[in-house]
Amino acid sequence: ISLRRPLPVNILSDLRHPFDRPVLGFFDIALEMVLIRPRKVIVALVKDTPFGVLPLRELYASIVVHEIIHGALHQNSVRHVMSYTAGEYLAYALQIESLAPGVRDQFLQSVAKRLTMKNFVFSDVLLSLDPFLFAAHAYEHLTASQNPCSYLTALMEGEVAFISAL
């Protein structure tokens, strides 16, 4: 998947999700723009979370990756209506993949004990209750696949069995 059009990246001090909750970054579909908070604000928001144990430079770059993935999905998806969970699955999986191996291991070790990936189903509930556990599972699920590209293709077509439809 590649970007079909350039994606500007803007840094905003007060960045909120459309549902008015603070976020680290956000892909604005209407503007086709990546919005990211400044590093100093991110430090305060991730304190006492699994992201808080990561070196700030690595974490910041991974947040940019996460939001660019949302942009790439938006520009390339067949249906343009990918479920929230499906979009976050890929964005988190590739965000964690983008971390340097030692930093990635540090993140994975800081997340609660994870379940086996066999027959695992990702859901809005898991995403909302523990986005860090969701991120770790997404990374491990995607990288455990014999053919990760098949997951990507299925996600783009809206045809995946590992994302809950509810």
Side-chain angles (χ1 to χ4, degrees):
I1 293 181
S2 60
L3 292 173
R4 296 177 185 265
R5 296 171 297 285
L7 277 182
V9 177
N10 283 339
I11 298 173
L12 298 175
S13 293
D14 186 27
L15 181 58
R16 295 188 173 274
H17 188 274
F19 297 120
D20 203 40
R21 60 182 168 80
V23 292
L24 304 177
F26 182 73
F27 173 68
D28 188 313
I29 291 173
L31 299 174
E32 282 209 19
M33 180 181 297
V34 171
L35 306 170
I36 305 286
R37 285 193 181 251
R39 288 181 185 190
K40 64 182 178 191
V41 176
I42 285 179
V43 169
L45 290 174
V46 300
K47 184 180 176 200
D48 300 324
T49 74
F51 279 169
V53 304
L54 303 180
L56 182 57
R57 184 179 185 86
E58 289 271 348
L59 172 62
Y60 200 78
S62 79
I63 293 167
V64 173
V65 166
H66 181 110
E67 299 308 329
I68 288 174
I69 296 302
H70 284 304
L73 288 172
H74 171 71
Q75 290 182 3
N76 288 280
S77 65
V78 173
R79 295 169 51 188
H80 281 294
V81 183
M82 183 177 287
S83 78
Y84 179 68
T85 303
E88 290 300 324
Y89 166 87
L90 193 58
Y92 272 125
L94 296 177
Q95 175 182 3
I96 304 308
E97 173 68 22
S98 77
L99 296 169
V103 175
R104 183 182 320 119
D105 291 342
Q106 188 178 10
F107 169 75
L108 292 171
Q109 290 171 10
S110 72
V111 176
K113 184 171 176 17
R114 291 171 307 283
L115 307 169
T116 178
M117 290 291 96
K118 185 179 169 98
N119 299 322
F120 191 83
V121 176
F122 292 85
S123 68
D124 290 343
V125 173
L126 174 60
L127 178 57
S128 64
L129 291 177
D130 193 338
F132 307 104
L133 180 60
F134 182 97
H137 274 306
Y139 165 76
E140 291 172 335
H141 184 262
L142 185 65
T143 58
S145 170
Q146 295 287 341
N147 184 3
C149 289
S150 68
Y151 284 174
L152 181 59
T153 301
L155 280 167
M156 296 300 288
E157 294 172 355
E159 303 289 330
V160 292
F162 58 86
I163 304 283
S164 171
L166 302 175

